[in-house]
């Protein structure tokens, strides 16, 4: 007997419906949507609604009760809210799942076959329920890398993960990383991947290496942008090169844990949902991040003397369609080297300094050209004056 799959009936910028068997239904709300709809549903007593903050990063709710008056009322209200002015997001964003850059159960596109979209490396174990990057054993490392380069300009990556093991607090390690980099499938010391990478790395670090660590509580989520000239400082937990971060107590939890990386209009945002409340919490928000297109997504993990299971349940990439003004389009030029505004990366010339040197060259060049031109004019005038003097003498 073939399983019955949900069938999408309607989709717009605000929400979508899916019919399910036995009169059940599913309502999906994309990220960055106003919270009025979930609050309204809670007020009328509809169960199971996933609530979020004013920066709601997305939700999906499955209600397992048969249709009733409240169900019909919810549908009517949602349709009304969809057509009312002002119910859309301020940036008029729309999301589209990019399946070629996504990884989810039952992981059919993973492996070494020619049709696979994801490659495995190291001690990775693929099961029907999760992909285990490392087992709870010493000196293991593993990674999963997308084969397809991503040319999406604005995107959001939702990561469903689980970190667990037998080790007690501060006796576990080392963590895992999410990558968007130029190179792929290269083992190294940075959570199982290469150092001096080119692109973006987001790290879920579960063990503090730096001694006398007082102001920072681990596990800790941080982000780093590199043009290939920076190295990750393990002895200081990457602090010299990080863009920012937050504490995230993600180990040995009985509920689902999520992390979302959002890159829209050169702004990098990271949020976490780890408390089992189905609410997103801000972790990092950095404007002026410039990432080239055509890089690869991947995730890796490593264990040393301390160990943990690092499991990936899903990676889902969404293309974000955002309206831009003509001025924003003009300023949003193609990027070829990763950089962050107001942050000096080694090996990258400061545009202001480059312009100053070029301007000095132009000044010297045109000054010399002007002097030569003036000298030629004076020579011509002098020769004419001499000819006139000779004629006047004879």
């Amino acid at each position: 007997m073939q399983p019955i799959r949900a069938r999408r009936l309607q989709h717009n910028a605000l929400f979508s419906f899916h019919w399910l068997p036995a009169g059940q239904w599913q309502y999906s709300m994309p990220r960055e949507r106003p919270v009025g709809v979930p609050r309204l549903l809670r007020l009328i007593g509809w169960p199971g609604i996933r609530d979020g903050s004013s920066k709601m990063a997305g939700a999906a709710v499955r209600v397992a009760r048969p249709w009733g008056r409240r169900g019909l009322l919810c549908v009517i209200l949602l349709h009304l809210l969809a057509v009312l002015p002002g119910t859309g997001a301020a940036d008029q964003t729309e999301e589209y799942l990019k399946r070629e850059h996504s990884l989810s159960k039952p992981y059919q596109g993973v492996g070494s076959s020619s049709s696979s979209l994801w490659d495995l490396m190291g001690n990775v174990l693929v099961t029907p329920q999760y992909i285990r990057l490392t087992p709870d054993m010493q000196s293991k490392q593993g990674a999963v890398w997308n084969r397809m380069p991503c040319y999406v300009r604005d995107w959001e990556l939702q990561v469903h993960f689980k970190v667990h093991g037998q080790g007690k607090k501060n006796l576990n390690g080392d963590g895992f990383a999410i990558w968007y980099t130029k190179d792929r499938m290269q083992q190294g010391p940075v959570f199982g991947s290469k150092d001096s990478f080119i692109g973006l790395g987001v790290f879920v670090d579960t063990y503090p290496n730096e001694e006398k660590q007082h102001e920072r509580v681990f596990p800790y989520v941080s982000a780093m942008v590199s043009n290939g000239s920076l190295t990750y400082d393990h002895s200081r937990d990457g602090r010299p090169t990080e863009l920012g971060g937050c504490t995230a107590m993600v180990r040995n939890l009985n509920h689902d844990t999520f992390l979302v990386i959002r890159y829209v209009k050169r702004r990098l945002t990271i949020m976490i949902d780890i408390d089992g409340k189905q609410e997103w919490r801000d972790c990092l928000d950095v404007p002026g991040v410039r990432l080239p297109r055509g890089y690869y997504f991947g995730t890796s993990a490593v264990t040393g003397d301390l160990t943990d299971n690092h499991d990936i349940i899903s990676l889902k990439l969404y293309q974000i369609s955002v309206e831009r003004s003509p001025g924003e389009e003009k300023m949003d030029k193609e990027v070829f080297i990763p950089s962050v505004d107001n942050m000096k990366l080694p090996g990258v010339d400061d545009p202001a300094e480059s312009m100053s040197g070029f301007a000095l060259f132009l000044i010297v060049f045109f000054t010399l050209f002007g002097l030569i031109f003036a000298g030629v004019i004076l020579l011509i005038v002098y020769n004419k004056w001499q000819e006139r003097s000779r004629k006047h003498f004879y």
Side-chain angles (χ1 to χ4, degrees):
M1 181 176 179
Q2 295 293 329
I4 301 177
R5 296 185 177 181
R7 180 168 58 92
R8 173 168 289 192
L9 294 182
Q10 179 180 353
H11 175 77
N12 56 30
L14 284 177
F15 55 84
S16 61
F17 289 100
H18 303 268
W19 287 109
L20 298 176
Q24 304 167 11
W25 64 281
Q26 174 177 316
Y27 161 69
S28 299
M29 174 179 287
R31 299 183 180 276
E32 296 293 347
R33 298 292 180 253
V35 297
V37 173
R39 287 178 179 172
L40 182 59
L41 295 177
R42 290 202 317 275
L43 288 175
I44 64 175
W46 190 257
I49 292 299
R50 177 171 183 152
D51 188 17
S53 64
S54 60
K55 291 186 177 181
M56 180 176 290
V61 179
R62 293 180 182 233
V63 181
R65 293 185 179 180
W67 281 99
R69 290 184 178 181
R70 291 181 176 178
L72 291 174
L73 178 59
C74 287
V75 175
I76 295 173
L77 290 176
L78 290 172
H79 276 286
L80 291 175
L81 289 172
V83 299
L84 288 176
T87 57
D91 289 333
Q92 294 296 313
T93 61
E94 295 184 4
E95 297 184 353
Y96 307 93
L97 178 66
K98 305 296 288 184
R99 298 188 182 279
E100 65 271 26
H101 302 299
S102 298
L103 181 65
S104 58
K105 301 175 186 179
Y107 314 116
Q108 293 178 346
V110 178
S112 58
S113 67
S114 59
S115 60
S116 299
L117 295 175
W118 294 82
D119 285 325
L120 306 178
M121 183 174 66
N123 306 111
V124 177
L125 173 65
V126 180
T127 75
Q129 299 302 320
Y130 55 81
I131 294 179
R132 179 156 293 170
L133 300 178
T134 66
D136 193 4
M137 301 172 63
Q138 292 181 340
S139 303
K140 301 296 182 180
Q141 62 180 9
V144 181
W145 283 94
N146 193 200
R147 287 184 177 180
M148 305 292 293
C150 179
Y151 292 96
V152 177
R153 178 162 63 167
D154 303 296
W155 48 265
E156 178 179 282
L157 182 64
Q158 300 179 23
V159 184
H160 183 188
F161 66 94
K162 186 176 182 64
V163 179
H164 57 105
Q166 299 297 322
K168 297 181 180 180
K169 184 178 180 181
N170 293 335
L171 291 177
N172 56 274
D174 284 326
F176 72 97
I178 306 296
W179 302 100
Y180 175 70
T181 56
K182 182 178 180 180
D183 302 314
R184 59 186 292 273
M185 297 290 290
Q186 296 190 20
Q187 290 185 348
V190 185
F191 297 94
S193 191
K194 65 170 290 187
D195 203 351
S196 301
F197 59 89
I198 302 176
L200 169 69
V202 176
F203 312 119
V204 181
D205 192 351
T206 58
Y207 180 75
N209 292 292
E210 185 175 6
E211 297 181 358
K212 298 180 180 179
Q213 187 73 255
H214 299 295
E215 69 279 5
R216 179 169 294 186
V217 179
F218 280 73
Y220 194 84
V221 178
S222 64
M224 171 182 170
V225 171
S226 173
N227 61 0
S229 63
L230 298 179
T231 59
Y232 183 86
D233 189 347
H234 277 280
S235 62
R236 300 187 60 190
D237 301 309
R239 298 183 68 173
T241 53
E242 72 175 27
L243 298 178
C246 66
T247 294
M249 310 304 291
V250 297
R251 289 193 70 249
N252 291 336
L253 300 178
N254 295 324
H255 51 263
D256 293 333
T257 49
F258 301 87
L259 179 148
V260 62
I261 307 168
R262 188 178 178 92
Y263 181 67
V264 177
K265 290 186 176 182
R266 308 297 186 198
R267 191 179 198 97
L268 178 67
T269 305
I270 298 177
M271 293 181 287
I272 55 177
D273 176 9
I274 60 173
D275 300 322
K277 299 179 180 179
Q278 299 180 340
E279 295 179 355
W280 293 99
R281 174 160 57 90
D282 293 337
C283 179
L284 180 149
D285 188 9
V286 181
V289 177
R290 303 181 183 275
L291 299 176
R293 288 189 273 186
Y295 284 10
Y296 297 91
F297 284 103
T299 178
S300 64
V302 68
T303 63
D305 294 334
L306 302 177
T307 65
D308 254 337
N309 295 304
H310 299 97
D311 299 342
I312 297 295
I313 290 89
S314 67
L315 298 172
K316 295 182 180 179
L317 184 80
Y318 292 89
Q319 179 179 356
I320 310 297
S321 178
V322 185
E323 291 185 357
R324 282 177 167 83
S325 65
E328 289 176 332
E329 287 287 356
K330 186 177 180 180
M331 294 295 295
D332 195 8
K333 298 180 180 179
E334 191 70 22
V335 177
F336 300 99
I337 300 177
S339 63
V340 181
D341 291 353
N342 302 320
M343 180 178 176
K344 178 67 174 178
L345 296 180
V348 178
D349 295 331
D350 190 346
E353 294 178 0
S354 300
M355 284 300 296
S356 298
F358 184 68
L360 181 61
F361 169 76
L362 291 178
I363 292 173
V364 173
F365 175 78
F366 284 110
T367 300
L368 292 175
F369 180 80
L371 291 175
I372 295 173
F373 182 77
V376 172
I377 296 297
L378 289 174
L379 183 61
I380 294 174
V381 171
Y382 178 74
N383 290 334
K384 292 290 185 181
W385 178 79
Q386 279 191 332
E387 290 179 2
R388 289 181 181 180
S389 298
R390 292 194 191 99
K391 290 179 181 181
H392 180 71
F393 179 77
Y394 291 106

